[in-house]
DNA sequence: TACGCTACGTACCGTATCGTACCGACCGCG
DNA sequence: CGCGGTCGGTACGATACGGTACGTAGCGTA
């Protein structure tokens, strides 16, 4: 595992993404559950200071112990908060999609965190400077309120994840992960290798391969060279552990409010 | 496991604790990292509306989806936030001691949470009504600030726990758990059965028994009929996974500020 | 079209852990 | 002092999973 992990990490270093910044359009606001609640004046500030960016696979959002300078509101991408252990292995400890945003530590008065965060499924997001985020949170009660609600859902999801990681099988967690990610992009096709999924789940690729094969034989998914298709969503739900529903219900309103 | 869990649960129902409420003394404030920061006026409010209570093993603090009416600030007890799965099994998803308090959901604008919370190591705590807590958080910036800092440490601990539950062995996690609990009571003797510890760690008792025996043979701890003695603290640290240090550093200032 | 790379499928073995069971040691209580 | 209950130590088979290895299929590129 250590070897494969380092190979991935070195792959990251090689990629230098040219994020083509574009101006934000008001229309894109409704694609993110947090931005949706902004009033006209606040929205204007985001239009002025924010940018619409395209995030590539594994593009870094923030690093451990480094000051967070930008806040990302995903529109159709998915971010992962990842903990890195001393032995170099990584494991996902949080998923962020169009129901939320990337900068929890800022909400709690911190400027950095112990984990790193990077793009897990490529797509677009709205990026604003941290100071704009702070002023919005201070001046817009509705904004602060939905952020608190999001934070609460996130904390509950974290607890469920801790339990899930201990109590449930790879097969169940694999199905759960796919569903949670799918809900955040609202598309049935995900660009995703088994090796990457294995890292997210904190397990070996062989384990994921077996679980994926089982899911595929059951007719729930279809795997092909870095892209996975969710064929039978209901079937996948039946394969997932209860944690999926628990987490979904936590984010319930937030995810629904931007469902197309 | 299901059987043993239900046996524990039925044991809970039987116990009806008569929490002998006593008036709060100002001197006890410095035993809790959050209460320490209160100014005179705020402290007076707590003296008036709060109570010093003794919590017994497994005494309930709050239940899932039920409105939280009281907030507890542990002085020398330890509380556990516990997730209950559909199959009835329970697992700890948060530890609360003299570095913090029991009511995260209130901090984020919620009145209930998905998990339950109960006393894990008996001892004393200061209890105040939720509305007093709210008014303190609103009127005392220093109070709110230390709460935010605590929340941040707690969230980071949750992430580390999620990773730890997946990546580390029972032996390592057992040592980590003992150390984290010890830091919160500052005493080397804990009333704690292996069966209870197994539930906290989300594992079977036999696994804990083997890990405990190994720790005992190494001379780090000493187990005897529901009480465990930490003999060699440094040794125990060497047996624990990195997660102990990570979590300790997160709570660092908060735990130190009340270390006797 | 040939080549090479990436990613998937599969197999094998060692091991941590689970579930269960049984027994002995200790404790509280009568 | 004896008895029942709790708790800890140990054992054992079943199994999920990790780690590794190897073969193959699709895809991009020249």
């Amino acid at each position: 595992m250590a070897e494969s992990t380092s190979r991935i990490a070195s792959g990251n270093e090689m990629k230098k993404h040219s994020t083509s910044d574009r101006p934000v359009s008001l229309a894109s606001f409704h694609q993110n559950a947090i931005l949706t609640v902004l009033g006209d004046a606040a929205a204007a500030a985001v239009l002025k200071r924010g940018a619409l960016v395209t995030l590539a696979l594994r593009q870094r959002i923030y690093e451990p112990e480094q000051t967070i300078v930008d806040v990302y509101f995903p529109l159709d991408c998915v971010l992962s908060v990842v903990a890195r252990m001393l032995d170099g292995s990584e494991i996902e400890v949080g998923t962020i999609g169009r129901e939320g945003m990337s900068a929890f530590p800022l909400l709690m008065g911190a400027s950095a965190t112990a984990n790193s965060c990077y793009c897990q499924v490529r797509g677009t997001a709205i990026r604003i400077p941290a100071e704009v985020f702070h002023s919005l949170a201070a001046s817009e009660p509705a904004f602060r309120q939905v952020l608190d609600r999001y934070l609460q859902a996130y904390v509950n999801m974290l607890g469920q994840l801790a339990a899930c990681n201990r109590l449930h099988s790879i097969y169940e967690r694999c199905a759960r992960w796919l569903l949670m990610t799918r809900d955040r992009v609202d598309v049935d096709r995900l660009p995703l290798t088994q090796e990457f999924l294995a890292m997210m789940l904190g397990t070996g690729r062989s384990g994921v391969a077996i679980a994926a094969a089982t899911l595929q034989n059951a007719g729930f998914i279809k795997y092909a060279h870095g892209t996975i298709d969710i064929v039978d969503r209901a079937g996948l739900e039946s394969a997932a552990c209860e944690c999926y529903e628990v987490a979904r219900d936590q984010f319930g309103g937030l995810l629904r409010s931007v469902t197309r």
Side-chain angles (χ1 to χ4, degrees), chain A residues 36-159:
Chain A
T36 301
V37 306
L38 286 180
D40 289 344
V46 173
L47 288 177
K48 187 179 168 193
R49 301 286 310 273
L52 178 66
V53 297
T54 299
L55 299 177
L57 183 64
R58 295 208 190 95
Q59 184 166 351
R60 299 288 166 167
I61 304 302
Y62 58 73
E63 292 290 319
E65 314 303 344
Q66 290 188 7
T67 302
I68 295 175
V69 294
D70 288 315
V71 181
Y72 292 79
F73 298 82
L75 302 182
D76 58 5
C77 66
V78 182
L79 312 179
S80 280
V81 181
V82 170
R84 188 191 302 247
M85 302 282 113
L86 285 183
D87 66 358
S89 60
E90 289 187 334
I91 180 173
E92 185 186 53
V93 293
T95 307
I96 299 167
R98 59 202 166 93
E99 84 290 352
M101 54 92 217
S102 68
F104 293 102
L106 300 187
L107 268 184
M108 299 175 285
S111 60
T113 179
N115 301 319
S116 59
C117 178
Y118 54 73
C119 181
Q120 167 207 121
V121 175
R122 60 177 157 65
T124 56
I126 290 177
R127 184 192 67 205
I128 66 174
E131 68 262 24
V132 175
F133 177 79
H134 275 127
S135 70
L136 284 177
S139 63
E140 297 282 315
F143 188 65
R144 175 75 211 197
Q145 192 179 337
V146 74
L147 282 173
D148 275 343
R149 185 176 156 201
Y150 176 49
L151 179 58
Q152 187 208 347
Y154 188 84
V155 169
N156 281 329
M157 181 207 66
L158 263 184

